[in-house]
């Protein structure tokens, strides 16, 4: 038999009190004289013997009552046979996984409710413990200190779901930091109660538990059936125009073992149901739904994909934002300018475009930061800061179209275009250029897929313009237009994250009639359309930072995220026109703040700059869990780690105590103390003599 609090055994000295009372009777004896004492002597002898027996029995009852009471406070127990026992004198740190995957159900009861119920039962094992910690995915400030077991039990009733998943490495690091600050005579023990979702717990094989700590892994036996969630949303075109047919694709996935048949997926735009689609999502598979829609009015539109799927419901809505008819910003840089002002004229009649023209001699390279498309016309020699800015613009996602001058510098352009993936640039420099007709384009390529009407697409003899090239090249990616001689006239190539369109001839009339031909307008429109950088329709909470392009940024401006009149000021930095925001975690928010999935306004000086959509991480939707056997294999060789099989049994706390704490005996000694007190009372009342 061992004692949890052996220092209480000093209380055994209290048995000296009834012993002292027994041996030192301070009552004065009173003599009584009788005339004839012959008969009384016999009676007195008999009564004195009986009284001594009574006193010895009462003394024994008192001594045993005091001893049992002292032993009860020392909390004796029979040690367990397990080598991974617990020591309630050390720090006991409990991790309760309250991520959204714990919303799943077993026998119509949430995993989170099962886990909190079993932890509440476990508090009975640590009833008198004062050094306890409860850690959740919130990582809140109140989780950084120690509390008695009764306060931990109260906190269990207030825990809700958290949007921030944590890896077990982060959890263990947080528990270790607290235990390092509170070292005492006892050894520490850690409890992890979770569904152990494979997509969120991290790499278990790299997690080494300190041998001085004891770890008890308590998995919720999760049985994934089905859970459908939105994997991705994308548009068929880079941008959306109002009052035109647009197509939205939605990929939905199923992470369970049961197929979802005839699931109705709904599309909402500005809280109005716009379209529906029915999909069959196989087990551990995916399906794609297609929605046709049109928008009225420009600006940001709130989009939402919604469906019914139980019991995991946190991912039944996916929020996104569409920017209808965004302005395409075009910067026209010219050296040798054609007389027809073809670039300005082709874009000025459509409000979709905003065009600015600058001479290459006095352009501010800062103008490139906000541009979608840069049209470089007739620049004789790219050099200096402008060349560096153009190369950087393309590599970072911009689109540039280059029209050559009449006498290009082959060496300078060769180096400039070579850095952007175009090789072997050779200047031709003919004194009297001879235009050559263009070959018919491949109307099935993505670039020309929507340029020609269906009636024209079948014609073989098209009236095409002619051009006289001033240079030639190779390695320029896809050739979109070529001369009948086979020489490329327009090519498309990729450089970094951007695109380069290279034309073979200037726009002047002496170099052909491309600029005057009907083909020129759709080609330039297509260039502008493809220059629009793909919209981020939505962001995820698991992203540490998001980068946004803002207009006219002020150096000391403070941007806020606002939702339902509640404002959050995230950590931010401004780099030119790019705003980088750090998405706040749950432990960085005050008690009256929360970050839920939905729409957030980016606000500066009470003015809405943009509309953002934030969703929960898809990793929480993937219902794939570690089994107890897999957990044992992951921690194989670490003898201080014990894995339980299940916790839905209400006898979990009792089973745990028997395996790791031993059989507690304090209750029995308390009952014995009460029994001996009752015996004492009975002796006093019944044994008279």
């Amino acid at each position: 038999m061992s004692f949890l609090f052996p220092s209480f055994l000093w209380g055994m000295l209290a048995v000296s009190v009834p012993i002292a009372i027994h041996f030192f009777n301070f009552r004065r004896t009173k003599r009584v004289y009788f005339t004839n004492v012959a008969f009384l002597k016999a009676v007195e002898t008999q009564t004195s013997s009986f009284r001594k027996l009574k006193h010895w029995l009462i003394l024994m009852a008192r001594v045993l009552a005091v001893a049992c009471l002292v032993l009860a406070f020392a909390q004796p127990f029979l040690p367990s046979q397990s080598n991974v026992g617990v020591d309630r004198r050390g720090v006991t740190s409990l991790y309760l996984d309250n991520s959204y995957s714990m919303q799943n159900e077993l026998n119509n009861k949430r995993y989170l409710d099962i886990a909190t119920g079993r932890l509440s039962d476990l508090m009975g094992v640590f009833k008198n413990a004062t050094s306890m910690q409860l850690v959740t995915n919130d990582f809140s400030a109140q989780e950084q200190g120690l509390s008695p077991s009764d306060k931990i039990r109260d906190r269990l009733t207030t825990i809700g779901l958290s949007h921030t998943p944590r890896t077990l490495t982060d959890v263990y690091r947080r528990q270790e930091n607290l235990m390092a600050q509170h070292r005492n005579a006892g050894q520490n023990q850690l409890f992890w109660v979770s569904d152990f979702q494979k997509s969120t717990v991290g790499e278990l094989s790299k997690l080494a538990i300190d041998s001085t700590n004891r770890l008890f892994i308590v998995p919720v036996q999760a049985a994934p059936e089905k859970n459908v969630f939105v994997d991705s949303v994308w548009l068929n075109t880079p941008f959306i125009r109002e009052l035109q047919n647009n197509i939205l694709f939605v990929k939905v996935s199923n992470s369970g073992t049961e197929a979802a048949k005839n699931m109705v997926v709904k599309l909402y735009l500005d809280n109005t149901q716009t379209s529906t689609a029915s999909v069959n999502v196989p087990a551990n598979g995916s399906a794609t739904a297609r929605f046709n829609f049109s928008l009225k009015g420009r600006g940001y539109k709130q989009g939402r994909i919604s469906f019914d799927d139980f019991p995991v419901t946190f991912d039944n809505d996916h929020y996104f934002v569409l920017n209808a008819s965004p302005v395409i910003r075009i910067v026209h840089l010219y050296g040798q300018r054609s007389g027809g002002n073809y670039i300005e004229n082709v874009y000025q009649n459509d409000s979709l475009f905003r065009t600015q023209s600058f001479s290459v001699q006095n352009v501010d390279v800062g103008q490139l930061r906000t541009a979608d498309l840069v049209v470089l016309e007739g620049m004789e020699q790219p050099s200096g800061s402008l060349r560096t800015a153009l190369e950087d613009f393309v590599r970072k996602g911009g689109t540039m179209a280059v029209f050559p001058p009449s006498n290009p510098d082959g060496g300078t352009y060769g180096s400039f275009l070579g850095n952007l993936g175009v090789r072997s640039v050779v200047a031709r420099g003919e004194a009297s250029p001879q235009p050559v007709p263009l070959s018919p384009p491949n109307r099935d390529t993505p670039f020309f897929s929507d340029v020609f009407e269906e009636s024209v697409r079948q014609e073989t003899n098209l009236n095409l313009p002619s051009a006289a090239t001033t240079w030639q090249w190779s390695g320029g990616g896809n050739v979109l237009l070529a001369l009948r001689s086979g020489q490329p006239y327009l090519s498309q190539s990729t450089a970094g994250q951007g695109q380069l369109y290279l034309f073979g001839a200037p726009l002047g009339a002496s170099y052909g009639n491309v600029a005057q031909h009907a083909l020129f307008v759709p080609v330039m429109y297509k260039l502008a359309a493809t220059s629009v950088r793909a919209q981020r329709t939505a962001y995820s909470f698991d992203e540490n930072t998001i980068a946004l392009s803002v207009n006219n940024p002020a150096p000391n401006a403070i941007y806020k995220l606002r939702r339902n009149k509640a404002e959050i000021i995230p950590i931010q930095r401004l780099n030119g026109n790019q705003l980088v925001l750090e998405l706040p975690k749950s432990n960085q928010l005050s008690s009256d703040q929360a970050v839920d999935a939905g729409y957030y306004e980016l606000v500066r000086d009470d003015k809405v700059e943009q509309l953002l959509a934030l969703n929960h991480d898809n990793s929480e939707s993937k219902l794939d869990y570690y089994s107890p056997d897999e957990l044992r294999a992951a921690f194989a060789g670490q003898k201080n780690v014990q894995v339980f099989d299940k916790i839905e049994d209400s006898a979990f706390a009792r089973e745990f105590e028997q395996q790791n704490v031993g059989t507690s005996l304090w209750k029995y000694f308390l009952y014995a103390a009460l029994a001996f007190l009752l015996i004492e009372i009975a002796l006093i009342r019944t044994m008279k003599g």
Side-chain angles (χ1 to χ4, degrees):
M1 185 172 66
S2 301
F3 298 93
L4 187 61
F5 302 105
S7 59
F8 276 100
L9 294 177
W10 287 100
M12 284 294 183
L13 297 175
V15 301
S16 61
V17 176
I19 294 175
I21 294 175
H22 178 78
F23 285 105
F24 300 99
N25 191 345
F26 296 105
R27 293 181 302 170
R28 282 188 175 184
T29 60
K30 184 178 181 180
R31 290 187 177 186
V32 179
Y33 296 95
F34 296 90
T35 57
N36 188 353
V37 295
F39 176 74
L40 292 176
K41 283 184 178 179
V43 175
E44 182 180 347
T45 303
Q46 183 180 4
T47 305
S48 176
S49 176
F50 185 79
R51 184 179 299 164
K52 287 181 179 180
L53 176 62
K54 171 184 175 182
H55 288 175
W56 280 110
L57 291 175
I58 292 174
L59 174 63
M60 186 180 300
R62 288 174 177 174
V63 169
L64 291 175
V66 173
C68 288
L69 191 62
V70 171
L71 290 173
F73 277 98
Q75 295 200 24
F77 64 93
L78 297 177
S80 66
Q81 297 179 354
S82 174
N83 295 325
V84 195
V86 300
D87 187 347
R88 285 172 286 190
R89 295 170 296 175
V91 174
T92 302
S93 182
L94 310 173
Y95 165 60
L96 174 60
D97 180 8
N98 62 333
S99 61
Y100 276 107
S101 63
M102 295 288 283
Q103 191 182 48
N104 207 347
E105 293 183 356
L106 182 65
N107 299 327
N108 296 323
K109 196 171 184 180
R110 293 191 312 171
Y111 293 163
L112 182 63
D113 297 332
I114 295 174
T116 53
R118 298 295 81 83
L119 280 180
S120 181
D121 295 340
L122 195 62
M123 290 298 98
V125 180
F126 301 93
K127 186 174 183 180
N128 297 319
T130 58
S131 300
M132 301 197 71
Q133 177 195 27
L134 177 61
V135 178
T136 66
N137 289 0
D138 296 323
F139 278 17
S140 60
Q142 62 179 327
E143 299 176 358
Q144 296 178 351
L146 297 178
S147 303
S149 59
D150 56 343
K151 288 190 176 181
I152 297 295
R153 191 195 296 266
D154 293 339
R155 273 200 59 208
L156 288 172
T157 62
T158 63
I159 293 177
L161 295 170
S162 171
H163 79 277
T164 306
R166 304 287 183 180
T167 65
L168 292 180
T169 300
D170 293 337
V171 171
Y172 181 59
R173 186 182 299 116
R174 190 172 182 85
Q175 291 176 310
E176 269 198 321
N177 290 339
L178 177 74
M179 291 185 294
Q181 300 172 11
H182 300 273
R183 297 197 178 275
N184 46 40
Q187 290 184 315
N188 303 319
Q189 47 268 336
L190 300 84
F191 291 82
W192 291 348
V193 183
S194 169
D195 57 4
F196 293 96
Q197 192 176 17
K198 291 183 178 180
S199 58
T200 59
V201 297
E203 296 187 42
L204 299 183
S205 59
K206 297 182 179 180
L207 189 56
I209 306 301
D210 192 326
S211 59
T212 60
N213 298 325
R214 297 178 175 91
L215 173 61
F216 300 93
I217 295 178
V218 189
V220 178
Q221 280 285 31
E225 296 179 355
K226 69 178 180 67
N227 180 46
V228 179
F229 60 94
V230 175
D231 185 274
S232 55
V233 174
W234 71 94
L235 296 161
N236 70 321
T237 56
F239 66 97
I240 300 173
R241 300 202 67 171
E242 58 178 327
L243 302 179
Q244 292 188 6
N245 183 55
N246 301 284
I247 301 175
L248 180 76
F249 294 98
V250 178
K251 181 181 178 182
V252 290
S253 298
N254 182 5
S255 63
T257 57
E258 179 183 328
K261 298 180 179 179
N262 299 321
M263 172 169 282
V264 177
V265 183
K266 304 174 184 178
L267 170 64
Y268 290 85
L269 294 175
D270 286 342
N271 295 321
T272 301
Q273 182 175 329
T274 304
S275 181
T276 60
S278 178
V279 293
N280 294 314
V281 191
N284 295 313
S286 60
T288 301
R290 170 174 170 158
F291 298 94
N292 294 293
F293 67 95
S294 61
L295 295 175
K296 183 179 181 181
R298 290 189 172 190
Y300 292 102
K301 308 295 181 181
Q302 297 180 356
R304 176 166 57 94
I305 300 296
S306 182
F307 48 82
D308 294 327
D309 178 44
F310 297 96
V312 181
T313 59
F314 78 91
D315 51 6
N316 287 2
D317 291 297
H318 180 85
Y319 301 90
F320 61 95
V321 172
L322 300 177
N323 189 6
S325 297
V327 174
I328 301 177
R329 294 156 297 187
I330 301 170
V331 174
H332 174 217
L333 303 179
Y334 58 87
Q336 298 175 358
R337 193 170 188 179
S338 59
N341 294 331
Y342 300 112
I343 302 299
E344 295 93 329
N345 293 339
V346 77
Y347 292 124
Q348 70 178 0
N349 293 327
D350 196 324
S351 60
L352 184 64
F353 307 110
R354 181 182 300 165
T355 307
Q356 294 177 294
S357 295
F358 305 96
S359 170
V360 295
Q361 303 298 327
N362 57 7
V363 63
D364 179 8
V365 295
Q367 297 290 336
L368 303 183
R369 296 175 183 172
T370 59
D372 296 305
L373 171 65
V374 172
V375 179
L376 195 60
E377 180 187 3
M379 185 170 70
E380 296 180 355
Q381 191 175 35
S383 60
S385 60
L386 178 58
R387 171 178 170 172
T388 303
L390 290 171
E391 292 177 357
D392 187 63
F393 166 76
V394 175
R395 291 195 184 98
K396 290 184 177 180
T399 299
M400 182 169 65
V402 180
F403 291 93
S406 57
N407 293 300
D409 186 331
T412 306
Y413 264 107
S415 175
F416 172 57
L417 298 176
N419 292 336
L420 299 177
V422 179
R423 300 185 302 273
S424 303
V425 177
V426 178
R428 302 185 66 179
E430 297 180 4
S432 55
Q434 297 297 322
V436 178
L438 270 63
S439 297
N442 183 358
R443 281 159 278 187
D444 293 327
T445 60
F447 187 87
F448 290 105
S449 60
D450 54 356
V451 169
F452 298 95
E453 295 181 357
E454 190 63 31
S455 58
V456 180
R457 293 175 63 86
Q458 307 302 325
E459 295 184 13
T460 56
N461 298 321
L462 293 177
N463 179 21
L464 294 172
S466 57
T469 59
T470 59
W471 58 15
Q472 59 186 22
W473 65 91
S474 64
N478 300 323
V479 176
L480 301 178
L481 290 172
L483 303 179
R484 291 184 180 176
S485 61
Q487 182 180 342
Y489 172 76
L490 172 61
S491 67
Q492 177 191 30
S493 60
T494 301
Q497 300 178 3
Q499 298 182 88
L500 174 67
Y501 291 90
L502 189 59
F503 288 83
L507 292 176
S510 57
Y511 294 92
N513 62 340
V514 173
Q516 297 87 16
H517 195 272
L519 182 64
F520 181 67
V521 174
V523 167
M524 297 306 295
Y525 270 43
K526 193 69 176 184
L527 287 180
T530 57
S531 71
V532 177
R533 308 181 192 191
Q535 292 185 39
R536 279 292 302 269
T537 58
Y539 298 89
S540 175
F541 284 117
D542 69 323
E543 299 182 59
N544 292 326
T545 59
I546 59 174
L548 307 171
S549 296
V550 294
N551 296 323
N552 304 317
N556 298 320
I558 297 177
Y559 292 86
K560 304 176 183 178
L561 292 177
R562 184 170 65 192
R563 182 173 186 263
N564 297 333
K565 298 183 179 180
E567 293 184 343
I568 299 173
I569 303 178
I571 300 174
Q572 56 194 268
R573 63 180 183 272
L574 197 60
N575 183 17
N577 68 321
Q578 188 179 63
L579 175 66
V580 179
L581 299 178
E582 294 187 17
L583 293 179
K585 304 298 182 182
S586 56
N587 60 313
Q588 298 173 333
L589 302 174
S590 60
S591 58
D592 60 338
Q593 292 179 322
V595 280
D596 297 321
Y599 309 105
Y600 289 80
E601 297 173 333
L602 182 68
V603 179
R604 187 187 76 176
D605 298 332
D606 289 331
K607 180 182 178 182
V608 178
E609 299 284 338
Q610 294 184 33
L611 184 65
L612 309 177
L614 290 172
N615 295 285
H616 299 296
D617 184 18
N618 278 345
S619 61
E620 282 286 324
S621 302
K622 300 173 182 177
L623 305 185
D624 190 13
Y625 312 101
Y626 283 105
S627 67
D629 291 336
E630 289 175 325
L631 291 171
R632 291 189 186 96
F635 291 94
Q638 301 189 49
K639 296 182 179 180
N640 58 328
V641 178
Q642 180 179 356
V643 180
F644 285 82
D645 284 326
K646 58 182 180 179
I647 68 167
E648 64 267 20
D649 189 354
S650 59
F652 164 73
R654 184 170 63 253
E655 179 184 351
F656 171 82
E657 185 175 11
Q658 292 175 353
Q659 292 184 16
N660 301 279
V661 182
T663 304
S664 181
L665 304 176
W666 68 270
K667 293 182 181 178
Y668 302 106
F669 282 97
L670 182 60
Y671 296 151
L674 294 174
F676 286 124
L677 289 175
L678 292 175
I679 291 173
E680 178 191 354
I681 296 173
L683 289 171
I684 294 174
R685 291 193 175 187
T686 59
M687 297 183 66
K688 298 180 180 180

